[in-house]
Amino acid sequence: MKFQSLVTNKILWIASTLFVVVLFVAAGVRYINFFPTLTSQGKDLSVAYSYFIDSSNSHVLSYVRKAAIFRNIEDPKEIPWQLGKKSYWIKLEVDNLLSEHRHMSLYFDTPMIDKLSIYQFNVEGQETQQWSLGDSSERDYRMGDMPPAIHFSLDGFEHTTLYMQVYSTGIPVMPIWILEQNEFHLLTQLLHTLWGGFIAIMLLVAIYTAAVYVSLKERVYAVYVGYVLTALLQLGAIHGFGIYLFPSSVQLLLSNNIVALTFGLFWFSLLFAHLYLRVHKSNSLLRQVVHYGLWVLAGLMGMSLFLPEHIAGTFLIAMQPMFYGLIGTLVWVRWQKGHNWGHMFIMSWLPLVIAGVFPPLLATGVIEYTLFSRYAFMIGTVLAVLFMALALGERFRQQRRESVYQLTHDETSLLPNLNVMSFAVSNLISRNREFTLCCFQIDRFSSLSLYMSEDEKRYFVGEICSRLKSALDSDNVSVLETTFDKHHRLASLKEGKFGFIVLSTDAEKVKLLVSSMLDEVDSYIELNAFGIRIQGSVGTSCFPNDGKNADLLINKSFQAVEDSNPCDKKINAYDSLKNFNRTMNMSLVADLKKAIDNDTLELYHQPQVDLRTGSIHGSEVLLRWDHPKFGQISPEVFVKLAEEVGMINDLTMWVIRRAFFQQSKLMDQGFNRRLSINVSATDIAIPNLVDRIADIADSYSVPTGLLSLELTESTMVSDYERLHEVIDKLSQRDIEVSIDDYGTGYSSLTYLSQLPFTELKIDRSFIHSLTSSPRKQNIVRATTEMAKSLGLMVVAEGVEDLETASVLKRYGVDIAQGYHYSRALSFNQYMNYMKRTSHQVPLGSSRSRKLGS
């Protein structure tokens, strides 16, 4: 199974970057010669510039023309533009040096200038034309208005004077270029082409990313859409081309709030970095700093809507170093973690970071105002958007790859997991290739892992896997996964279990290879200054003998390793006969549930005889199941099965209900005999056990005093407090409690002295061959004397001859049961047995409680 990219990250990024750069360079080379030369003088023109700064912003045109003192300059770039509420008056003395009529254009590039008023005067000092530009008042924008310019005519050798008043609360920098009208039209077409491409790229990226967000529902894509659209709005407002996307009123609103848009762009950038670099996944100080930074940017964005533009712009310039510093910190943290898409984020941001220095440098007059410096930020934004789209795609690809890796590899051992093993097994089956699937299990791993930290467990498992890999480095072992530099022949199937495939079904060859592997693993691992011996067991299953399905073969190898004996059988092949018995048992579970629900089980009664009178004292009820397919099922089988699957409580309550029903039938015939029922430790935990027994007794009108519950000694150590509570309640209901199989479990004189038992039942192992064993006689006699001293009735089971019964009677045993008196009888047989012995009158079945109870 291969998990290998078609293209490595490095090759992908080099190719993508080179493609984009070459594309831009080719476009620049192709169109650079089309751009006319921008100059403040013009060809065959004589242009003299001078300026006057109205710091009070109060002078009118007439005063400026007559009284203002203009300072002569060679180029408009020498005007000392500054942020603030000032008016700049610029005077242009233009002379046509040719004799022909000419159409000229003054190109300003002033979309963000609040007010630009231009007045033209002829040589006689008469005003001939007037223009009003700027974004502080409504203008009738039309296609062709961008870029901002005015158009005028000059006759041959004509002289004209232009006065311009420039006012802006924001950035007042304004280039002045004078062009022939045809050159201006060419420039306009090229700039429109440039802006059309920019808008198309930004919208396409936004639409594509929005579609990805709808598909994946990851916030980072939605935030990136917001970033792209905000960048489009901001640059459209800065350069004025937003007029082609929005109505005039909207464009003016955006232009007047350019600082707020820039803060919004910063906000989206920081949030995008926060999500893209997964800082939000960690609970760290950096995450809190980013949250505070987002709130600060949101606050400044809101404030800039109300502050004068030059003041808000000052905050913006001051925030830039902190903003880039925070972004740099995020990148550095991600870089240390080594994710490739973290590196890509840096590559994507480089064009934007480089281009981002141009706007503030232009605003402060540090660099010259050219077309390149003017549109550098736009070019950087396009490159950044394209690179970031690639980075998002690579991030998604690697996330998918990581997801696939997590689904196909174990986190602790870093090995292929059960999914990969299943795939490899299915592949071999499809090729009809015979093989043996082996499951290696570390002995005592579940116990050892409880005392290990995650790092210790990773080291411990890693050491074992290293030895397993070395032992399995053979062509006879199938390769499960191929990566760039290695082949994996081992898989982690479950915690502490590892699988591999031997390409053979020859038992001797497989055993030889597995034995060699076990010897390789059998050694010590130093962990926290302690040496832990590593051993393991292996279970195997074969194709096609043990199955033709991957899941079936894997499960059979699990069963085989679970059935192995670490002490003497380290290698265990799947046993179909044992599995048949296990399968039959699972089938019996469903049948047993039906038997309980349909009342198809039976209760047999083994009579209990009073040795003092020879009368029938009662009976012990024994559960029998005549299976419709398998016949009589041993109680040891289905009772144990009921305990394993959690059905024992239902089975016990069925026995109690049926016992009371049969007791009611006996009472109808005049036989008031005691019934003894066996209960387990699990039954003691049944909620409201005593109340439920009492309710059943009431429903059949049977006195609870005719019931005795027999508890095995192991029951007493399971939950002493619960047992004490239940026995107390049973005593209050006059229900007798007997210790069953006394002498074979965990009996304690403490339990006998503290719990209100009424009966002690000596196990049959002490009764068998009693007459020929003085040792057993002493035990039975001593047990009987002790029970008598505690006020308990003594019952002996397994009595098979008259001599044994005589010895027990001599020792003082009260009740006996066994084949000497009768085998277990069905209910009808027991009824007949009772009728035959009805002349024998039993002692009262209600016994006194133990002394002091």
Side-chain angles (χ1 to χ4, degrees):
M1 189 170 188
K2 296 185 178 181
F3 298 99
Q4 185 170 342
S5 302
L6 295 176
V7 188
T8 63
N9 296 332
K10 186 175 181 180
I11 296 175
L12 172 68
W13 264 85
I14 291 176
S16 301
T17 303
L18 286 177
F19 173 76
V20 174
V21 171
V22 169
L23 183 65
F24 270 82
V25 171
V29 172
R30 175 69 177 83
Y31 292 105
I32 190 65
N33 294 327
F34 285 89
F35 280 89
T37 302
L38 297 180
T39 175
S40 59
Q41 292 298 325
K43 185 178 180 181
D44 297 321
L45 287 177
S46 173
V47 184
Y49 292 91
S50 58
Y51 73 91
F52 165 71
I53 300 177
D54 180 9
S55 300
S56 63
N57 194 32
S58 60
H59 301 318
V60 295
L61 176 62
S62 59
Y63 169 81
V64 170
R65 288 188 64 201
K66 293 180 180 179
I69 301 175
F70 282 83
R71 179 173 295 181
N72 296 323
I73 53 177
E74 294 293 331
D75 194 285
K77 293 183 291 187
E78 300 176 22
I79 299 174
W81 305 104
Q82 292 180 346
L83 291 172
K85 292 184 177 181
K86 300 178 182 179
S87 286
Y88 292 82
W89 288 89
I90 305 170
K91 184 169 71 171
L92 282 74
E93 300 285 348
V94 183
D95 290 291
N96 183 7
L97 301 180
L98 299 178
S99 60
E100 59 190 48
H101 186 80
R102 302 172 68 181
H103 297 282
M104 308 302 299
S105 297
L106 272 178
Y107 171 40
F108 303 108
D109 195 8
T110 58
M112 294 182 59
I113 296 295
D114 292 341
K115 181 181 179 181
L116 174 59
S117 299
I118 305 171
Y119 311 92
Q120 183 180 15
F121 293 87
N122 59 22
V123 68
E124 287 84 16
Q126 297 173 343
E127 183 176 343
T128 57
Q129 287 192 79
Q130 180 178 339
W131 298 270
S132 180
L133 303 177
D135 63 4
S136 61
S137 61
E138 289 286 348
R139 293 189 292 135
D140 184 19
Y141 281 103
R142 299 182 307 276
M143 296 296 291
D145 273 351
M146 298 303 300
I150 64 168
H151 311 288
F152 62 95
S153 299
L154 288 175
D155 289 331
F157 303 110
E158 182 182 358
H159 172 86
T160 187
T161 303
L162 296 170
Y163 287 90
M164 293 184 291
Q165 181 185 14
V166 182
Y167 171 79
S168 179
T169 58
I171 300 174
V173 180
M174 185 190 74
I176 302 173
W177 292 309
I178 188 165
L179 303 169
E180 296 282 350
Q181 207 165 74
N182 60 337
E183 293 179 331
F184 175 78
H185 290 323
L186 177 60
L187 176 65
T188 299
Q189 293 173 4
L190 293 173
L191 290 180
H192 277 76
T193 302
L194 179 65
W195 264 95
F198 170 75
I199 293 172
I201 291 173
M202 300 294 277
L203 290 179
L204 283 174
V205 171
I207 293 171
Y208 169 77
T209 309
V212 174
Y213 168 73
V214 171
S215 175
L216 301 180
K217 298 296 187 297
E218 282 195 51
R219 287 182 299 165
V220 64
Y221 295 99
V223 172
Y224 189 63
V225 172
Y227 168 79
V228 173
L229 293 179
T230 304
L232 179 60
L233 293 178
Q234 185 216 32
L235 289 170
I238 290 176
H239 294 278
F241 282 87
I243 193 63
Y244 299 123
L245 299 175
F246 311 107
S248 302
S249 57
V250 175
Q251 170 63 12
L252 289 173
L253 177 66
L254 297 176
S255 180
N256 288 325
N257 293 282
I258 192 63
V259 177
L261 279 175
T262 307
F263 275 123
L265 191 64
F266 284 4
W267 188 87
F268 275 111
S269 300
L270 182 58
L271 182 58
F272 175 73
H274 179 59
L275 297 175
Y276 180 92
L277 299 174
R278 292 184 179 177
V279 178
H280 66 293
K281 296 285 186 180
S282 62
N283 189 14
S284 62
L285 176 62
L286 183 59
R287 177 185 175 184
Q288 297 178 9
V289 171
V290 171
H291 285 174
Y292 288 132
L294 290 171
W295 280 108
V296 169
L297 287 174
L300 289 173
M301 181 171 62
M303 290 171 54
S304 62
L305 296 173
F306 306 99
L307 290 175
E309 190 172 346
H310 66 283
I311 296 177
T314 304
F315 281 111
L316 178 63
I317 295 173
M319 275 295 299
Q320 277 192 306
M322 290 182 283
F323 169 75
Y324 286 119
L326 185 54
I327 294 288
T329 304
L330 296 179
V331 172
W332 173 252
V333 171
R334 177 54 59 189
W335 184 287
Q336 288 182 316
K337 294 186 177 181
H339 289 285
N340 288 332
W341 39 267
H343 306 165
M344 296 171 192
F345 184 84
I346 300 173
M347 295 292 296
S348 303
W349 265 72
L350 279 179
L352 195 62
V353 171
I354 295 172
V357 302
F358 282 86
L361 294 180
L362 276 176
T364 55
V366 175
I367 61 175
E368 184 179 350
Y369 203 109
T370 65
L371 278 178
F372 174 77
S373 61
R374 172 64 168 163
Y375 290 97
F377 186 69
M378 184 197 75
I379 296 171
T381 300
V382 171
L383 288 173
V385 165
L386 290 175
F387 287 156
M388 192 59 72
L390 289 173
L392 279 172
E394 180 63 15
R395 179 180 184 268
F396 173 70
R397 187 181 72 86
Q398 290 200 26
Q399 283 180 320
R400 290 292 298 271
R401 190 177 178 187
E402 289 175 6
S403 299
V404 171
Y405 185 87
Q406 291 172 359
L407 289 173
T408 56
H409 288 76
D410 174 59
E411 184 179 354
T412 302
S413 63
L414 304 180
L415 289 174
N417 64 10
L418 184 61
N419 295 324
V420 178
M421 173 62 80
S422 179
F423 179 86
V425 171
S426 298
N427 187 33
L428 290 174
I429 292 174
S430 67
R431 291 157 49 195
N432 201 29
R433 177 70 184 270
E434 293 184 352
F435 62 88
T436 300
L437 176 60
C438 302
C439 177
F440 170 79
Q441 177 176 264
I442 304 172
D443 293 346
R444 310 179 312 280
F445 181 79
S446 57
S447 301
L448 291 170
S449 62
L450 295 175
Y451 303 97
M452 298 181 190
S453 66
E454 287 300 318
D455 291 338
E456 291 170 342
K457 186 188 297 184
R458 191 173 292 109
Y459 169 77
F460 181 75
V461 171
E463 287 293 308
I464 296 175
C465 291
S466 176
R467 298 173 190 184
L468 287 172
K469 291 175 185 177
S470 175
L472 297 174
D473 189 13
S474 168
D475 292 337
N476 293 324
V477 181
S478 176
V479 175
L480 304 179
E481 178 191 79
T482 301
T483 57
F484 292 115
D485 55 350
K486 64 180 68 174
H487 301 297
H488 291 291
R489 292 182 166 86
L490 186 68
S492 176
L493 305 183
K494 286 185 178 179
E495 194 171 56
K497 288 185 175 69
F498 303 90
F500 56 93
I501 300 172
V502 181
L503 297 175
S504 173
T505 54
D506 187 317
E508 290 301 321
K509 289 184 179 179
V510 173
K511 185 176 181 179
L512 182 63
L513 187 147
V514 172
S515 298
S516 174
M517 182 208 72
L518 291 175
D519 292 339
E520 180 82 15
V521 174
D522 190 352
S523 58
Y524 286 86
I525 292 179
E526 292 292 331
L527 190 65
N528 291 333
F530 291 99
I532 302 176
R533 186 179 180 182
I534 304 304
Q535 292 180 304
S537 306
V538 174
T540 65
S541 61
C542 297
F543 170 79
N545 294 339
D546 294 329
K548 298 182 179 181
N549 175 274
D551 293 337
L552 182 61
L553 289 170
I554 292 172
N555 288 334
K556 287 183 176 181
S557 68
F558 283 169
Q559 293 173 17
V561 77
E562 292 294 343
D563 292 338
S564 65
N565 188 342
C567 297
D568 56 12
K569 194 177 183 182
K570 290 287 189 179
I571 305 173
N572 186 50
Y574 173 76
D575 189 339
S576 58
L577 178 60
K578 183 178 293 184
N579 182 68
F580 173 77
N581 294 333
R582 184 182 288 110
T583 304
M584 187 183 73
N585 284 346
M586 294 309 298
S587 175
L588 288 178
V589 170
D591 294 339
L592 181 59
K593 183 69 169 64
K594 293 178 182 178
I596 294 173
D597 294 339
N598 300 330
D599 290 330
T600 56
L601 300 170
E602 293 183 81
L603 283 187
Y604 274 52
H605 295 253
Q606 185 168 38
Q608 295 178 328
V609 177
D610 193 322
L611 291 176
R612 294 164 294 180
T613 64
S615 62
I616 305 303
H617 179 73
S619 65
E620 178 182 1
V621 293
L622 302 172
L623 189 58
R624 295 291 184 266
W625 183 18
D626 187 10
H627 194 277
K629 180 178 179 181
F630 303 111
Q632 286 290 336
I633 305 294
S634 170
E636 293 181 355
V637 173
F638 68 81
V639 171
K640 181 180 180 182
L641 191 61
E643 289 178 339
E644 290 176 349
V645 300
M647 204 185 297
I648 188 65
N649 294 160
D650 296 335
L651 190 61
T652 300
M653 295 310 299
W654 183 91
V655 170
I656 292 173
R657 282 193 299 271
R658 180 53 62 92
F660 275 116
F661 168 74
Q662 294 181 353
Q663 183 74 299
S664 67
K665 297 299 182 182
L666 289 171
M667 291 175 61
D668 291 343
Q669 299 295 323
F671 304 122
N672 294 339
R673 300 293 189 271
R674 189 187 70 163
L675 291 182
S676 296
I677 300 175
N678 290 285
V679 295
S680 67
T682 308
D683 297 325
I684 293 298
I686 296 176
N688 303 318
L689 172 65
V690 179
D691 294 336
R692 294 175 67 179
I693 293 175
D695 291 341
I696 296 173
D698 291 341
S699 66
Y700 290 108
S701 301
V702 175
T704 55
L706 294 177
L707 177 65
S708 175
L709 298 182
E710 296 185 1
L711 307 177
T712 59
E713 292 185 76
S714 59
T715 304
M716 293 187 289
V717 299
S718 60
D719 189 346
Y720 177 80
E721 297 297 330
R722 171 66 178 168
L723 179 64
H724 199 303
E725 177 186 350
V726 171
I727 293 180
D728 283 342
K729 290 183 178 180
L730 290 172
S731 299
Q732 295 169 11
R733 295 282 187 174
D734 204 26
I735 298 174
E736 297 187 2
V737 183
S738 172
I739 301 178
D740 193 16
D741 298 337
Y742 182 81
T744 62
Y746 309 90
S747 57
S748 168
L749 293 178
T750 302
Y751 295 136
L752 290 174
S753 62
Q754 293 183 355
L755 298 176
F757 294 108
T758 59
E759 182 180 277
L760 185 149
K761 196 171 188 179
I762 301 175
D763 185 68
R764 67 179 66 248
S765 62
F766 296 99
I767 305 303
H768 180 67
S769 65
L770 175 68
T771 55
S772 61
S773 174
R775 187 179 184 87
K776 289 184 179 180
Q777 292 173 15
N778 291 332
I779 292 174
V780 171
R781 182 171 54 245
T783 301
T784 303
E785 291 175 355
M786 178 194 67
K788 291 294 184 179
S789 68
L790 294 173
L792 305 179
M793 187 165 59
V794 181
V795 180
E797 59 180 353
V799 180
E800 298 183 356
D801 53 63
L802 178 61
E803 186 178 1
T804 301
S806 299
V807 172
L808 293 173
K809 182 178 180 180
R810 186 167 67 248
Y811 289 164
V813 174
D814 300 298
I815 309 298
Q817 68 182 75
Y819 288 169
H820 174 62
Y821 301 103
S822 174
R823 292 178 178 272
L825 305 171
S826 67
F827 180 64
N828 290 332
Q829 291 174 333
Y830 181 60
M831 288 276 286
N832 294 330
Y833 183 86
M834 292 290 292
K835 290 176 182 178
R836 291 198 308 270
T837 59
S838 60
H839 62 282
Q840 298 171 331
V841 181
L843 294 176
S845 59
S846 178
R847 301 296 176 187
S848 61
R849 303 294 171 185
K850 81 180 177 75
L851 297 177
S853 65

